[in-house]
Amino acid sequence: MTAHPDAEVVLLTFVTRGALPGTPPAPSPEERAFADTELFEEFVREVRDAYAGLPRVPARFYMVGFHPAYTRVDTRRPLTPDSLVPLLRRTPDPVIQCIRADLLDQIRRQAQAAAEARFREEMARLGPEFLILAERAIKADPELSQDIARHNFDSVGAGPGREHLEATIADILASRRALELE
């Protein structure tokens, strides 16, 4: 990240053996690096802690793990924006997504300003007394992650968007398996 101090997003991808043409044959599932999601999440925490402990970094990054085996959705409950997140964090290979903190903080401030504007519009629509109450109320601090979760849910939570997501992931994994067999 020091080579490109202006980088906004960095994807640390851990390609397993045999995943790319010309690489050694794929190991058995038990041998795959980071096959266990809990071990991978532990590794992500270690990377995050090590990065936070560096004496000088050009920029601060938030880090989150993505993994092929993330499927923790309780099918006994209806799908919600929050419960969809693990499905969206599936990738063909384990990945640590690093997003520049100041960029995400800026986006969060924009989301908060937009939420505040929507709230004021709604209060104004209800009448001037509600707008006065809103001015005096404790300000809500909407979380950017909630906005992202809602948007993702609207896009791929059900119907054609979800079918396309599942088909795309299945195609990627099938291509990987075909390469492993070559």
Side-chain angles (χ1 to χ4, degrees):
M1 294 182 211
T2 56
H4 298 280
D6 58 340
E8 296 176 342
V9 177
V10 176
L11 299 175
L12 304 174
T13 305
F14 302 90
V15 179
T16 56
R17 290 188 303 154
L20 299 174
T23 61
S28 68
E30 296 78 28
E31 294 175 306
R32 284 187 179 270
F34 307 115
D36 182 286
T37 57
E38 289 181 27
L39 290 176
F40 183 67
E41 288 174 5
E42 185 179 314
F43 175 70
V44 172
R45 280 190 296 278
E46 289 172 9
V47 170
R48 191 182 299 129
D49 291 346
Y51 185 74
L54 292 175
R56 282 189 309 166
V57 293
R60 198 167 49 100
F61 283 81
Y62 295 126
M63 298 180 189
V64 65
F66 286 67
H67 196 278
Y70 282 169
T71 56
R72 293 174 286 170
V73 173
D74 186 348
T75 56
R76 296 169 296 176
R77 296 189 174 152
L79 197 59
T80 66
D82 291 330
S83 67
L84 182 67
V85 171
L87 290 176
L88 296 177
R89 288 194 178 164
R90 287 180 294 170
T91 51
D93 295 296
V95 171
I96 299 176
Q97 179 190 54
C98 309
I99 298 185
R100 194 176 172 112
D102 57 353
L103 173 67
L104 199 56
D105 292 343
Q106 176 187 0
I107 293 169
R108 181 175 286 120
R109 284 190 298 275
Q110 291 170 350
Q112 291 169 344
E116 176 74 18
R118 286 191 307 271
F119 176 72
R120 289 180 184 281
E121 270 182 36
E122 187 60 31
M123 292 297 104
R125 226 182 328 253
L126 294 173
E129 64 277 6
F130 286 96
L131 190 56
I132 292 169
L133 285 173
E135 293 292 330
R136 295 181 183 161
I138 297 172
K139 305 297 183 228
D141 186 21
E143 290 291 324
L144 177 62
S145 60
Q146 292 297 323
D147 288 342
I148 292 170
R150 240 185 328 277
H151 173 74
N152 287 340
F153 186 76
D154 291 344
S155 299
V156 295
R162 176 67 180 275
E163 292 167 8
H164 180 69
L165 171 68
E166 295 295 338
T168 300
I169 291 171
D171 287 347
I172 291 169
L173 294 174
S175 295
R176 282 288 172 83
R177 282 190 293 277
L179 285 173
E180 290 173 355
L181 295 175
E182 289 180 359

